[in-house]
Amino acid sequence: MKHLLKRLPLLLLPLLFFACSTATKEQIFQRTALNANLVSTAYRPAYFTEILELKAKNNLPSSAKEYVSSRTIAPLNEAIDKAKDLKQTKDSQELISTSLDYMESGKRLFEKEYLRIAEMIDSGKSPEEVKIAIDQMFTTTETNMLSKQNNMIAVAKVFAKEHNIDYIVR
């Protein structure tokens, strides 16, 4: 019995670790709904206007393609990984899956269309040609992306309300 009491802390340590490593409702919300803002922030025509302005002023750190990769795709990949690492419970499953759906859709769009437009900028295409490509991309993707965003927001609002999390959509 004496040996068991000496080993009890060692046996309880893993239990304590797992109990502390479970994400809180607020952390789940942050890693899903709030991190999905990475898509919303970049999914706008002005995103490319800013890149064109940076390039015109010689303030673009490297290339437009590198800018999109490092400033948009890389943080989104991290956010997706964080959301995927969350333990899905009955309570959190819908929020996790809808935010992942939105973020992964954004990632596919950014990796394909945004990088294609960034290559146009890097190759010296005229701002008019770039604007036409941007307009075409938004015309073909806007309905789907807006639907996914609205679905994620609706689920996030319900989750936030159920768990007393302040969440205001602007």
Side-chain angles (χ1 to χ4, degrees):
M1 184 69 157
K2 199 180 219 182
H3 296 293
L4 183 62
L5 288 175
K6 285 182 181 179
R7 293 187 180 151
L8 187 61
L10 290 175
L11 296 171
L12 293 176
L13 189 61
L15 235 142
L16 181 64
F17 173 76
F18 286 116
C20 292
S21 67
T22 302
T24 65
K25 300 300 180 191
E26 290 82 8
Q27 290 170 327
I28 291 169
F29 192 78
Q30 289 170 353
R31 293 179 194 168
T32 56
L34 297 183
N35 278 348
N37 286 331
L38 292 169
V39 176
S40 305
T41 301
Y43 186 71
R44 54 190 175 80
Y47 178 90
F48 289 105
T49 304
E50 293 165 7
I51 293 175
L52 288 167
E53 288 173 1
L54 286 171
K55 184 175 181 176
K57 294 176 183 177
N58 288 322
N59 287 335
L60 195 60
S62 54
S63 67
K65 190 173 179 179
E66 179 58 34
Y67 183 90
V68 171
S69 295
S70 64
R71 299 265 181 135
T72 305
I73 297 171
L76 187 55
N77 282 333
E78 289 177 33
I80 289 170
D81 289 342
K82 287 179 183 179
K84 284 181 176 179
D85 287 343
L86 291 169
K87 182 181 179 193
Q88 291 197 16
T89 63
K90 181 182 174 188
D91 193 31
S92 65
Q93 188 276 330
E94 187 177 15
L95 179 62
I96 293 169
S97 65
T98 57
S99 67
L100 279 171
D101 181 44
Y102 180 54
M103 288 190 287
E104 288 172 343
S105 294
K107 176 186 170 183
R108 286 188 299 274
L109 178 70
F110 300 153
E111 288 176 339
K112 183 179 178 189
E113 297 299 325
Y114 272 46
L115 289 178
R116 179 181 64 81
I117 294 170
E119 286 174 1
M120 290 177 69
I121 294 169
D122 289 338
S123 69
K125 298 286 183 190
S126 72
E128 293 79 23
E129 287 177 276
V130 173
K131 182 172 178 4
I132 290 169
I134 293 166
D135 291 344
Q136 288 174 343
M137 178 198 60
F138 278 96
T139 298
T140 60
T141 62
E142 189 171 30
T143 302
N144 183 46
M145 289 300 291
L146 188 57
S147 173
K148 290 180 184 295
Q149 180 187 34
N150 288 339
N151 187 35
M152 191 275 310
I153 289 171
V155 172
K157 282 181 180 180
V158 170
F159 186 90
K161 185 176 181 180
E162 288 176 355
H163 300 289
N164 294 325
I165 298 171
D166 288 332
Y167 179 55
I168 298 170
V169 180
R170 297 180 189 162

